[in-house]
């Protein structure tokens, strides 16, 4: 189980992208479990940010390295001797990828190549979880949940780069860490695909919930661009629990868990943007309000849903919080931040409540 402190205690774990939103939550959770933790990332890219607000680097080693620098990665792997790697460093915004496709591809594709190349030269590594996205799939808006065997694709540069990162992981697995030679190399690689995560501490640009909380905190009107778009909303702790469970299974029985895995919410939690905004405004109170923009927007998929049956059946993973609980915890987090609470304690308390 993810709550298995006996497994995680003193394990050498390396997280790329540890200064980001998901990376910060993951690092705090791994600290709770007693892992010997190293993070590799660029410094936080926005102000404020969860990494600093929750003092994430208090109980870990933090290295500021660009994953596009393969030599620096190899040196860091040699120094820290990681046993488990959770690779999350990425350019993660669709709209930004339209403006800067070169950075998006160089980070998401060549960054993944570099991480896996460093793994080749690191005899300590046993398990690698390559985190991509539900957007890695070729999307025809046919209202069918994606399964792991579906074709990789992606309309925009971000989504396409994540499909490419999946193909990179497949190629490295086939060429260097083949399942049939597992007894020789003892390295297991898997890819994890999750949907739209929500939770306290996300201040990235052009994401729905960060945009909402920025505006309602100032008592401004929230501007919504795609009210009918359906997304598989889930609290950030949901997929993180899947990544950690997958990493443990890869470490313990690697050959049987190599490949792709979906970690999505229950079907009823795939909701339109307008529904989510209405619920947040209700929970926040204080006259929170929104309106829909009429300006033209770049293409984004109308619907994204994941079929997580494989993870349910083979990993015994399932969502813990429904969307209503996830939204309440998210609103509670931002309201605590507004009150200037100790956000490391607030975040750790939510992790502990999730684990109960």
């Amino acid at each position: 189980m993810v709550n298995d402190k006996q497994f995680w205690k003193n394990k050498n774990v390396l997280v790329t992208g540890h200064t980001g939103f998901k990376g910060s939550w993951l690092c705090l959770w791994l600290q709770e479990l007693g892992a010997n933790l190293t993070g590799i990332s660029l410094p936080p890219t926005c102000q404020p940010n969860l990494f600093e607000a929750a003092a994430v680097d208090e109980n870990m080693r933090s290295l500021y390295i660009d994953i596009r620098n393969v030599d620096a990665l190899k040196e860091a792997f040699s120094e820290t001797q990681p046993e488990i790697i959770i690779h999350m460093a990425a350019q993660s915004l669709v709209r930004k990828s339209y403006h800067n496709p070169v950075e998006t591809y160089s980070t998401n594709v060549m960054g993944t190549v570099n991480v896996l190349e460093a793994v080749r030269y690191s005899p300590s590594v046993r398990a690698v979880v390559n985190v991509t996205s539900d957007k890695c799939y070729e999307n025809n808006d046919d209202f069918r949940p994606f399964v792991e065997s579906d074709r990789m694709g992606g309309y925009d540069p971000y989504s396409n780069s994540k499909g490419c990162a999946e193909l990179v992981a497949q190629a490295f697995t086939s060429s260097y860490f083949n399942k049939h030679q597992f007894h020789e190399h003892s390295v297991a690689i898997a890819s994890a695909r999750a949907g739209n995560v929500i939770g306290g501490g996300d201040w990235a640009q052009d994401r729905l919930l960060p945009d909402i909380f920025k505006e309602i905190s100032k008592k401004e009107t929230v501007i919504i661009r795609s009210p009918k778009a359906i997304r598989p909303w889930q609290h950030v702790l949901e997929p993180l629990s899947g990544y950690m469970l997958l990493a443990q299974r890869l470490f313990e029985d690697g050959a049987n868990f190599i490949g792709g895995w979906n970690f999505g919410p229950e079907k009823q939690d795939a909701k339109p943007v307008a529904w989510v905004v209405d619920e947040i405004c209700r929970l926040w109170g204080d006259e929170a309000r929104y309106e829909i923009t009429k300006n033209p927007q770049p293409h984004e998929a109308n619907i994204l849903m994941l079929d997580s049956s494989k993870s349910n059946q083979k990993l015994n993973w399932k969502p813990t919080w429904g969307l209503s609980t996830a939204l309440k915890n998210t609103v509670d987090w931002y309201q605590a931040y507004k009150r200037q609470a100790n956000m490391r304690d607030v975040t750790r308390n939510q992790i502990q409540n999730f684990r109960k």
Side-chain angles (χ1 to χ4, degrees), residues 53-55 333 336-337 339-349:
W333 195 100
Y337 180 81
R339 296 193 305 270
Q340 298 185 329
N342 183 317
M343 297 317 297
R344 183 178 175 88
D345 289 345
V346 170
T347 309
R348 291 177 62 206
N349 286 340

Side-chain angles (χ1 to χ4, degrees), residues 47-181:
Q47 290 293 336
N49 59 81
L50 177 59
F51 184 73
E52 294 171 345
V56 174
D57 64 349
E58 278 190 6
N59 293 313
M60 65 179 295
R61 184 178 186 182
S62 183
L63 303 175
Y64 290 146
I65 293 173
D66 191 327
I67 61 168
R68 291 172 290 187
N69 185 336
V70 68
D71 292 333
L73 282 177
K74 288 179 180 178
E75 182 177 344
F77 280 37
S78 177
E79 288 179 8
T80 59
Q81 295 293 298
E83 300 166 273
I84 295 171
I85 294 171
I86 302 179
H87 170 44
M88 296 197 296
Q91 192 301 96
S92 59
L93 301 174
V94 171
R95 288 162 70 88
K96 183 176 179 180
S97 78
Y98 277 108
H99 297 297
N100 201 334
V102 173
E103 178 188 354
T104 301
Y105 280 102
S106 62
T107 301
N108 296 355
V109 183
M110 287 309 301
T112 301
V113 170
N114 292 341
V115 168
L116 296 178
E117 179 69 357
V119 169
R120 289 183 60 205
Y121 291 89
S122 180
S124 61
V125 176
R126 292 291 172 268
V128 181
V129 177
N130 175 44
V131 176
T132 62
S133 167
D134 59 347
K135 297 178 180 66
C136 69
Y137 293 108
E138 184 173 83
N139 192 341
N140 297 314
D141 283 330
D142 59 4
F143 290 84
R144 178 182 64 81
F146 295 112
V147 296
E148 287 84 351
S149 58
D150 281 339
R151 182 173 176 169
M152 296 294 103
Y155 180 100
D156 57 88
Y158 166 74
S159 303
N160 188 269
S161 74
K162 286 300 187 177
C164 292
E166 288 279 353
L167 297 177
V168 166
Q170 290 175 24
F172 268 76
T173 299
S174 299
S175 301
Y176 308 112
F177 308 113
N178 196 287
K179 177 179 181 178
H180 302 295
Q181 282 83 46

Side-chain angles (χ1 to χ4, degrees), residues 252-327:
E252 295 174 334
D253 191 14
N256 290 320
F257 293 92
I258 292 169
W261 299 83
N262 287 342
F263 297 101
E266 302 288 1
K267 185 176 180 181
Q268 65 267 23
D269 286 337
K271 296 285 191 183
V273 165
W275 186 95
V276 172
V277 180
D278 280 331
E279 184 68 5
I280 291 173
C281 289
R282 183 188 70 79
L283 289 167
W284 188 274
D286 200 22
E287 299 181 355
R289 60 194 183 278
Y290 73 94
E291 64 183 44
I292 299 166
T293 182
K294 296 180 181 179
N295 296 331
Q297 303 295 320
H299 176 274
E300 293 190 46
N302 290 320
I303 184 165
L304 288 169
M305 293 188 293
L306 294 175
D307 183 330
S308 301
S309 300
K310 179 182 175 183
S311 296
N312 300 157
Q313 296 164 10
K314 296 187 177 181
L315 291 173
N316 196 28
W317 175 89
K318 61 181 180 179
T320 298
W321 287 345
L323 181 55
S324 295
T325 302
L327 288 171

